[in-house]
Amino acid sequence: MKVLVTLTLVIVTILSSVVNGYNCKIVQFIFGDSLSDVGNNEYLPRSLAKANLPWYGIDFGNGLPNGRFTNGRTVSDIIGDDMGLPRPPAFMDPNLNENMILESGVNYASGGGGILNETGGYFIQRLCFYKQIELFKGTQEMIARKIGKNESHKFFQEARYVVALGSNDFINNYLMPVYSDSWKYNDDTFMDYLVGTLRDQLKVLHSLGVRNLMAFGLGPMGCIPLQRVLSTTGNCQDKTNKLAKKFNQATNNMMVELSRSLPGASYKFGDAFDVVNDVISNPYRYGFTNSDSPCCSFGNIRPSLTCVPASTLCKDRSKYVFWDEYHPSDSANMIIAKELIKKFKFTRVNQNGDSADAPSSPTPAMGPVAAPSVDAPSSDS
């Protein structure tokens, strides 16, 4: 009888702990652009920035388009896997619910999105950073209703956060004369405006309980295939690369200052510019054979901007640094992720967490695959 009573008390204690403490695990929340998007833009009906056609996703899972703007994984996918974090679903996924959020977190990244509200306007619909933060606030309110304010506060404070934005603010804003920012500012004043806006946004996230945050720096934007083909020589555009380096330095300084001034903040900045630049300059050293043109292209018609079913794929996708005119391949993303893992000194968070499915090996494609159709709800940028 005494043993039975003791056992009953133990069971009640365990159940009480799980119910009241909800036993939440550590997850991640991702804010970003097309380099991190996992399908949000698929549910923005008027968006012109989508990865819903073959051959996107050909080396991921079942080989069908999945919202990622590459052939395989994103940098965030790879880093999260290394840390033992689950891959968060897209916020716009109509199947998203509170249990999924508690289990895997959320990805708010949106192709064409930027730090500035005006960035990427010609894509018509995209989620800018302020909009992504607004959606994050809604997520917090939803989880608080599910598990209570105290447990929700703990859940969000212990979570990991990624911010990977900035390239569109240059390529699809400041460097394009169709945007007013291109003539309202010079290089210095635009940089102050951009980094100052990012600083305000990170402070808003801190006020919402964000404590463990990592921001990714910009790579050599002037060397993406689109920038090369738009130049007169076919070489990297030096001005664009200098802007990327200047942004990285200013953002790093800003985040160091925020980590010192904001209570409990652990804000880290990962700059992979040099390693990506070296990959592009010396591709053979890293196992690549091409670093200046996309694997997926429309023959000699350049720039084709996006990969389409009629596009021609390179013979070996693992040998190309770039997947399309804008985005790195899975193989290049792996190198970028490894560099950031080394710089951040990441450790595993969920030691016993389930590992996500690894992408299939990049092999030559034999024929087109059909893209799944979805009914997309409306959403403003």
Side-chain angles (χ1 to χ4, degrees):
M1 183 67 179
K2 191 172 182 180
V3 173
L4 182 60
V5 171
T6 303
L7 183 59
T8 302
L9 287 172
V10 170
I11 293 172
V12 169
T13 301
I14 292 173
L15 289 175
S16 176
S17 174
V18 172
V19 172
N20 294 331
Y22 218 84
N23 201 29
C24 297
K25 69 179 182 181
I26 295 175
V27 299
Q28 62 177 332
F29 295 88
I30 296 174
F31 305 90
D33 52 29
S34 60
L35 295 174
S36 304
D37 193 347
V38 295
N40 282 305
N41 280 23
E42 303 308 299
Y43 302 102
L44 301 178
R46 299 191 304 278
S47 177
L48 299 181
K50 295 190 178 186
N52 59 354
L53 296 172
W55 304 92
Y56 289 102
I58 189 172
D59 297 309
F60 189 103
N62 60 10
L64 295 174
N66 56 65
R68 290 168 173 81
F69 287 75
T70 182
N71 61 308
R73 299 161 295 176
T74 68
V75 171
S76 295
D77 284 331
I78 298 167
I79 291 177
D81 292 350
D82 187 81
M83 294 177 68
L85 291 164
R87 291 179 182 167
F91 176 86
M92 297 297 296
D93 185 337
N95 296 313
L96 185 73
N97 57 41
E98 294 95 331
N99 290 333
M100 290 171 64
I101 296 169
L102 290 167
E103 183 68 22
S104 302
V106 180
N107 185 316
Y108 305 94
S110 171
I115 294 167
L116 305 175
N117 292 348
E118 60 266 31
T119 289
Y122 66 77
F123 293 123
I124 302 179
Q125 267 191 313
R126 73 281 180 221
L127 305 175
C128 63
F129 194 13
Y130 271 123
K131 182 64 176 181
Q132 293 180 34
I133 294 172
E134 181 183 325
L135 297 176
F136 174 64
K137 288 179 66 175
T139 302
Q140 289 188 312
E141 292 167 2
M142 185 164 51
I143 295 301
R145 289 193 296 270
K146 173 76 173 180
I147 65 175
K149 288 186 177 180
N150 290 338
E151 289 303 319
S152 175
H153 179 74
K154 179 183 177 184
F155 172 69
F156 285 103
Q157 279 212 341
E158 291 182 347
R160 302 297 187 265
Y161 298 85
V162 171
V163 172
L165 288 152
S167 59
N168 282 318
D169 295 289
F170 294 100
I171 294 174
N172 292 310
N173 185 356
Y174 179 64
L175 294 173
M176 295 191 68
V178 296
Y179 289 96
S180 61
D181 284 352
S182 67
W183 67 78
K184 283 169 55 179
Y185 300 96
N186 60 38
D187 291 356
D188 291 333
T189 56
F190 181 75
M191 196 67 65
D192 290 342
Y193 171 42
L194 183 63
V195 177
T197 301
L198 179 58
R199 183 180 188 276
D200 292 342
Q201 292 162 332
L202 296 181
K203 290 179 71 175
V204 171
L205 286 178
H206 182 270
S207 72
L208 296 173
V210 172
R211 295 296 180 265
N212 296 289
L213 182 145
M214 47 188 165
F216 298 163
L218 304 183
M221 303 181 300
C223 295
I224 65 173
L226 176 68
Q227 289 284 299
R228 284 180 182 267
V229 78
L230 293 179
S231 71
T232 56
T233 63
N235 296 324
C236 297
Q237 297 211 34
D238 188 53
K239 176 184 177 180
T240 307
N241 283 345
K242 286 180 177 177
L243 287 170
K245 294 183 76 170
K246 190 171 182 178
F247 172 85
N248 288 348
Q249 184 60 56
T251 303
N252 180 64
N253 293 341
M254 178 266 291
M255 293 194 67
V256 169
E257 184 268 321
L258 286 183
S259 285
R260 291 171 178 168
S261 61
L262 297 177
S266 176
Y267 286 5
K268 299 178 181 178
F269 181 77
D271 183 356
F273 184 100
D274 290 340
V275 70
V276 178
N277 192 55
D278 194 47
V279 169
I280 293 170
S281 302
N282 304 288
Y284 290 94
R285 183 184 300 170
Y286 296 86
F288 296 104
T289 59
N290 185 300
S291 63
D292 58 11
S293 58
C295 171
C296 186
S297 62
F298 201 63
N300 293 323
I301 300 175
R302 299 279 309 280
S304 55
L305 300 184
T306 61
C307 183
V308 296
S311 297
T312 302
L313 299 188
C314 59
K315 291 183 179 180
D316 187 346
R317 297 187 288 279
S318 68
K319 301 298 183 183
Y320 273 64
V321 174
F322 292 98
W323 165 245
D324 62 13
E325 299 282 4
Y326 288 97
H327 308 99
S329 65
D330 177 88
S331 297
N333 281 338
M334 173 62 84
I335 291 175
I336 297 168
K338 284 183 176 179
E339 178 67 12
L340 292 173
I341 289 168
K342 183 173 68 174
K343 286 193 174 184
F344 277 125
K345 295 182 174 61
F346 288 133
T347 57
R348 290 187 69 81
V349 174
N350 295 310
Q351 296 292 341
N352 298 319
D354 296 332
S355 59
D357 292 336
S360 55
S361 300
T363 54
M366 301 305 294
V369 289
S373 61
V374 294
D375 294 325
S378 178
S379 175
D380 294 329
S381 63

